[in-house]
Amino acid sequence: LLVTSASGHAQQGIHTPPQGSPERQAIMDVMRLDFYPGGLVAARRNAKGVLFTVRYLRVHGDWALTCVDPVNAAGKEIAEFRWGLLHCKAGQWSDANYFDAIRPYPSEESAEDALDMTASTIRKIWRRFPDAPKDIFPELSKQRP
């Protein structure tokens, strides 16, 4: 299976885009939108200097899953970590907003599970986004109970 990423580079199967690659940059720009309500242009400019320590990043076809720690240029954490499920359409990555898509949460604890990408959350995401490849998600066997 040969797929074209948002950056125009062909990728085969599951992969982690390397640092500095256009594909990784496009994904991180979408993750930066939390800090730039003005939109993607502002996120790309990144006047606030929001950087990410990437904990997890897997891409397969037109889907990506990532977990990042927002940091400043000195590496100091500026916000809590966040997961993002992204989908690429017409060469443009966008946030699938999985967190909102799997609501309602019966309790605060289940909302925390959604933020932590637990096995329960992953199963809910798969039900809501059946086209998302299962291999971009962390292995369920490695998830906490």
Side-chain angles (χ1 to χ4, degrees):
L1 176 65
L2 191 62
V3 220
T4 304
S5 72
S7 65
H9 294 92
Q11 288 290 335
Q12 189 172 359
I14 188 166
H15 66 282
T16 299
Q19 283 186 326
S21 70
E23 182 178 37
R24 188 175 180 130
Q25 183 65 46
I27 291 168
M28 293 303 121
D29 285 345
V30 172
M31 292 300 292
R32 206 173 280 114
L33 285 172
D34 285 348
F35 301 92
Y36 293 96
L40 198 52
V41 172
R44 283 185 185 131
R45 280 193 205 121
N46 197 16
K48 297 177 185 177
V50 177
L51 304 174
F52 296 114
T53 300
V54 177
R55 292 185 185 191
Y56 185 92
L57 175 58
R58 300 290 181 276
V59 177
H60 190 159
D62 55 0
W63 288 92
L65 182 70
T66 189
C67 182
V68 297
D69 291 303
V71 297
N72 63 18
K76 183 180 178 194
E77 189 175 290
I78 58 173
E80 291 185 4
F81 76 94
R82 56 208 58 220
W83 283 93
L85 176 65
L86 290 82
H87 191 220
C88 187
K89 294 179 188 172
Q92 186 71 38
W93 286 100
S94 64
D95 189 343
N97 294 310
Y98 84 88
F99 191 76
D100 293 333
I102 63 173
R103 288 182 188 248
Y105 306 113
S107 68
E108 189 172 317
E109 183 177 299
S110 59
E112 284 294 317
D113 283 348
L115 289 172
D116 290 337
M117 198 55 68
T118 64
S120 169
T121 297
I122 292 170
R123 285 189 293 273
K124 289 176 187 173
I125 292 170
W126 286 340
R127 283 193 296 273
R128 178 64 178 89
F129 300 97
D131 293 338
K134 289 185 165 60
D135 59 1
I136 64 171
F137 291 88
E139 291 182 42
L140 292 179
S141 62
K142 294 182 181 178
Q143 298 294 314
R144 65 180 187 195

